[in-house]
Amino acid sequence: MEQYKKEFIEFMIDCNVLKFGDFVTKSGRNTPFFVNTGFYRTGAQLKKLGVYYAKAIEAKFGFDFDVLFGPAYKGIPLSVAAAIAISEDYGKDIKYCANRKEVKDHGDTGILLGSPIEDGDKVVIIEDVTTAGTSIQETLPIVKAQGDVDVLGLVVSVDRMERGQGTKSALEEIRENYGLETTAIVTMQEVVEHLYNKPYKGKVIIDDTLKASIDAYYEQYGVQ
């Protein structure tokens, strides 16, 4: 596993973004782990997060695209942070764009924030995490409505590696249904591999009991 992935897993724990316990996901699944990017709360944290996203984007897509699109609301700071990191670390000036939840009819009108999306633009969508792949159904039509654009793919922070609407993984379904390439900074398999029975800051985060809960979750919701 690449070093930046190990660092990112520990970064999520330090920021209280990756939690273990008893949670319910947006798709209604009871889960022993939860990723909440709303807990990236400081300038230093967001700057670091942008760097990790930039590494994942470079590895999968390179930087031959025009717009980084972050769906409202959590995708907005993600698109900004990653666009800044791409500019600072790679010297590539990518436009950021996000949507509003409601169309604005005065002043800066329309549904978009940041850069407009224009015919011929290549777009990468940036999100926090995908569980069942439902959010892309809302996001893609917004982007496509802006013109003749080429949506290259989707980058998320964590691939939860579970089924979407059918028997395949959510990211695999997105690839098949929408023709999008997908990638993540880390997968849950990598998270478990890095943390299982290994102390971090003097504490074992995934012990045998928690590992059994995670395994049981994947028995139910994992890809068969």
Side-chain angles (χ1 to χ4, degrees):
M1 192 191 315
E2 294 94 328
Q3 183 62 29
Y4 81 87
K5 290 175 178 277
K6 297 176 183 177
E7 291 173 6
F8 179 66
I9 293 165
E10 294 169 2
F11 174 61
M12 285 194 290
I13 292 165
D14 291 343
C15 295
N16 230 6
V17 165
L18 174 62
K19 297 181 180 180
F20 297 95
D22 189 14
F23 308 98
V24 179
T25 67
K26 185 179 177 183
S27 52
R29 298 173 180 177
N30 288 91
T31 174
F33 54 89
F34 197 71
V35 180
N36 183 359
T37 56
F39 276 85
Y40 296 119
R41 291 176 169 169
T42 72
Q45 289 172 347
L46 285 168
K47 182 172 183 180
K48 212 167 178 181
L49 177 63
V51 170
Y52 290 123
Y53 265 112
K55 287 179 184 293
I57 291 167
E58 181 197 27
K60 184 67 176 183
F61 302 107
F63 298 118
D64 183 22
F65 65 96
D66 306 290
V67 180
L68 195 55
F69 184 87
Y73 287 102
K74 286 184 180 176
I76 298 173
L78 301 182
S79 61
V80 173
I84 291 171
I86 291 168
S87 171
E88 289 188 345
D89 295 349
Y90 300 92
K92 300 288 186 180
D93 204 18
I94 303 288
K95 297 182 283 189
Y96 107 90
C97 182
N99 65 296
R100 296 182 170 97
K101 288 282 190 180
E102 304 83 19
V103 178
K104 191 178 175 191
D105 60 4
H106 61 280
D108 181 18
T109 58
I111 197 166
L112 298 184
L113 297 164
S115 171
I117 299 176
E118 299 166 339
D119 284 351
D121 276 348
K122 295 178 183 175
V123 181
V124 171
I125 298 170
I126 184 168
E127 288 196 12
D128 56 347
V129 64
T130 186
T131 302
T134 47
S135 59
I136 197 75
Q137 296 171 8
E138 304 165 9
T139 304
L140 207 53
I142 294 169
V143 177
K144 294 276 195 182
Q146 305 309 312
D148 181 17
V149 299
D150 182 10
V151 183
L152 300 185
L154 167 71
V155 57
V156 299
S157 60
V158 180
D159 178 1
R160 289 181 58 104
M161 301 182 68
E162 56 197 81
R163 292 198 312 275
Q165 310 297 314
T167 58
K168 296 180 179 176
S169 79
L171 290 184
E172 184 64 37
E173 284 184 357
I174 288 168
R175 277 193 287 272
E176 288 193 359
N177 295 341
Y178 303 105
L180 301 184
E181 290 298 318
T182 60
T183 193
I185 303 172
V186 292
T187 66
M188 271 310 295
Q189 183 178 352
E190 290 168 331
V191 170
V192 173
E193 177 189 326
H194 185 56
L195 296 177
Y196 178 45
N197 276 344
K198 296 173 189 168
Y200 175 62
K201 293 187 174 177
K203 180 184 176 187
V204 172
I205 293 167
I206 301 182
D207 57 14
D208 288 336
T209 305
L210 180 54
K211 175 71 160 54
S213 296
I214 294 171
D215 288 346
Y217 182 76
Y218 280 111
E219 280 289 314
Q220 187 172 3
Y221 294 116
V223 180
Q224 302 303 314

